[in-house]
Amino acid sequence: MDVLEAIKGRRSIRSYVPSEIDVKQLEAVFEAAIWAPSAGNLQPWEFIVVDDKEVMRRLARASLNQMWMVEASSIIAVCADLDRTGVIYGERGRRLYAIQDCAAATQNMLLAAYSQGLGTCWVGAFYDDEVKRILNLPNNVRPLALITIGQPRERPTTPPRRGLKEIVHHNTFRKPWYR
Ligand SMILES: Cc1cc2nc3c(=O)[nH]c(=O)nc-3n(C[C@H](O)[C@H](O)[C@H](O)COP(=O)(O)O)c2cc1C
């Protein structure tokens, strides 16, 4: 699948057909993740695949009761080892680069899943401390995203995007790039 086609066609899926995901497909999703760029190529990401329904229920509760998450085949927790970037880049590494690196990896995962016919949703609304407890994360490891993944049971309509004319600037914020 063409990359632009994947970028435009992917939608957040919040309803899933009960099924197991092929291990090879999941592996392809993680392969896509590790080829994301990262500051200093430090690759601070750690991934936890959760397919135990009870643990998934607990994660859904910690995500402001988004109980639809339990329908997915798995939830992948994308976490950052803040020490990996922090040791080289200090506070900027911990507060910015680690998060950007993991966000890039997350987007790669969503696209790789979509290109294989799988549905995903990037869930960011959760209580960090609760997710840390549920997944037994060490102190230096921060959960950044929970990705639900599985066979989609819906084809959502395309949510609107802000137009290029509004958001692309030229040389200075004050001037539009489009005339
Ligand atoms: C950082 C981040 C956090 C998000 N958190 C949630 C969430 O907690 N629950 C949810 O249902 N969708 C969540 N989303 C998905 C967005 O709602 C979705 O991407 C947006 O509405 C655009 O729809 P699309 O993904 O189908 O293009 C999140 C997306 C991002 C990037």
Side-chain angles (χ1 to χ4, degrees), residues 21-128:
I21 311 175
D22 189 86
V23 176
K24 289 273 169 225
Q25 285 192 314
L26 261 188
E27 223 168 48
V29 167
F30 291 123
E31 271 290 321
I34 64 171
W35 288 101
S38 64
N41 198 25
L42 291 171
Q43 307 165 52
W45 39 68
E46 303 281 341
F47 305 103
I48 301 171
V49 181
V50 178
D51 53 14
D52 178 317
K53 286 288 173 191
E54 186 44 41
V55 183
M56 288 171 72
R57 244 186 298 281
R58 292 173 66 197
L59 288 176
R61 269 188 233 116
S63 305
L64 283 52
N65 285 315
Q66 299 189 68
M67 299 314 292
W68 57 268
M69 292 169 68
V70 183
E71 254 191 34
S73 304
S74 304
I75 296 174
I76 301 169
V78 181
C79 307
D81 179 343
L82 303 179
D83 288 348
R84 276 188 83 86
T85 28
V87 77
I88 305 287
Y89 295 117
E91 274 307 284
R92 193 166 176 83
R94 300 176 74 86
R95 286 176 187 270
L96 183 64
Y97 297 160
I99 291 160
Q100 291 178 325
D101 299 343
C102 289
T106 301
Q107 176 68 353
N108 276 9
M109 292 166 84
L110 304 190
L111 295 177
Y114 176 72
S115 76
Q116 300 183 97
L118 295 169
T120 56
C121 188
W122 178 332
V123 172
F126 53 77
Y127 293 108
D128 288 19

Side-chain angles (χ1 to χ4, degrees), residues 7-8 10-14 63 66 68-69 110 120-126 144 156-161:
I7 288 169
K8 284 193 175 178
R10 178 212 58 80
R11 293 278 70 80
S12 292
I13 300 298
R14 301 180 179 90
S63 305
Q66 299 189 68
W68 57 268
M69 292 169 68
L110 304 190
T120 56
C121 188
W122 178 332
V123 172
F126 53 77
L144 293 176
T157 52
T158 306
R161 293 303 198 252

